[in-house]
Amino acid sequence: MEISELTRRVRAFAEERDWARYHSPKNLAMAVSVEAGELLELFLWTDDQSPGQPTSPERAARVADEAADVMICLLNLCDRAGIDLGQAVASKLERAALKYPAHLVRGRALKYDEYPSWDGSGHTAVPDDTEDR
Ligand SMILES: [Mg+2]
């Protein structure tokens, strides 16, 4: 489903319940954080360190529900703040690709400004002696 269609449905859901009046950008930004916290809580005190699927179908369903809550709040926030989320994501990915050129940072988990050759220009070069994290 397209972001614009999801946004339309999220907006309609709130309007049908007269909840839009509570949806200031501040409240929605806080709601994004609260829902992200609920998502994190599902991983708290677990041994689940795997990069793949959560360990059970029930757990995966709960993670999906909380991920949806985060997305719903984020769509609401961007709608109310006049942000084109699709454009914002595309723009951010373009800038991230400049900070983290795949052929230079592949397999390394450093922040862009932790590479010794970082010069603040938006381009990153990976030195040979950098420890992986
Ligand atoms: Mg939730």
Side-chain angles (χ1 to χ4, degrees), residues 9-111:
R9 290 177 65 172
V10 165
R11 184 187 309 135
F13 183 91
E15 288 174 353
E16 289 166 359
R17 289 156 181 80
D18 194 23
W19 289 350
R21 62 181 149 152
Y22 304 113
H23 289 176
S24 66
K26 177 194 72 78
N27 285 347
L28 291 166
M30 293 171 77
V32 168
S33 181
V34 168
E35 295 299 343
E38 291 177 4
L39 178 61
L40 280 173
E41 188 177 25
L42 296 174
F43 294 93
L44 183 64
W45 311 125
T46 71
D47 294 328
D48 190 350
Q49 300 292 324
S50 68
Q53 298 264 332
T55 51
S56 72
E58 296 78 20
R59 207 165 131 68
R62 293 179 67 193
V63 169
D65 278 350
E66 294 307 336
D69 283 346
V70 171
M71 183 73 169
I72 289 166
C73 291
L74 186 60
L75 288 168
N76 259 323
L77 170 62
C78 290
D79 188 36
R80 295 295 287 206
I83 295 167
D84 180 334
L85 184 57
Q87 177 57 43
V89 170
S91 173
K92 186 69 178 187
L93 282 172
E94 287 174 17
R95 286 178 280 138
L98 292 175
K99 281 184 183 174
Y100 300 98
H103 69 286
L104 295 177
V105 303
R106 184 174 181 80
R108 297 172 188 254
L110 296 174
K111 189 175 176 185

Side-chain angles (χ1 to χ4, degrees), residues 1 4-14 16:
M1 193 178 297
S4 60
E5 175 60 15
L6 287 172
T7 298
R8 189 195 65 70
R9 290 177 65 172
V10 165
R11 184 187 309 135
F13 183 91
E16 289 166 359

